Amino acid sequence: MSQPLTVTLHILDKEYRVACPPEERSNLEQAARHLDTTMRDIRNSGKVIGVERIAVMAALNITHEMLTGNHQQDGALSEQQAQISELVKRLDQALESHKS
């Protein structure tokens, strides 16, 4: 594994230095941009005051996005598994009727 490098991130007008493997730099920067955008949207709404509260709300929003996406993926996977099972059943029936 590569030696970690220090990446400078800008989130809600503050600078953070974070160590990460070189191959993860792009993902880290993308995550920081997403967090910064989410925090700015919350701040600009005027409903939440204070950086700490904005950060917590952003964390909750991003976690909700992630969990909702996971649930949607789980549902799609279950549907695909059901379709595959149905196709296997129909194939078995077709093979049985062909033997007769």
Side-chain angles (χ1 to χ4, degrees):
M1 182 172 267
S2 311
Q3 288 290 357
L5 56 90
T6 301
V7 179
T8 302
L9 307 171
H10 298 276
I11 301 170
L12 204 61
D13 304 325
K14 290 193 177 190
E15 187 175 279
Y16 299 90
R17 294 182 186 275
V18 178
C20 78
E23 61 272 11
E24 290 298 320
R25 180 181 185 153
S26 177
N27 290 335
L28 177 62
E29 290 172 338
Q30 183 179 4
R33 282 191 301 274
H34 182 61
L35 177 58
D36 181 62
T37 299
T38 303
M39 289 180 72
R40 286 179 186 281
D41 289 346
I42 291 168
R43 182 184 66 185
N44 294 340
S45 76
K47 295 178 183 176
V48 180
I49 299 172
V51 176
E52 186 175 304
R53 287 179 180 233
I54 291 170
V56 169
M57 291 305 297
L60 288 170
N61 288 341
I62 292 169
T63 302
H64 181 263
E65 291 171 4
M66 183 191 74
L67 292 174
T68 302
N70 286 346
H71 289 307
Q72 289 172 353
Q73 288 175 354
D74 289 345
L77 182 58
S78 294
E79 185 178 321
Q80 289 171 349
Q81 288 173 333
Q83 289 174 344
I84 290 170
S85 294
E86 179 62 27
L87 289 171
V88 168
K89 179 180 166 185
R90 291 168 70 187
L91 181 58
D92 287 342
Q93 289 172 347
L95 290 173
E96 276 301 313
S97 66
H98 183 53
K99 284 183 183 178
S100 304

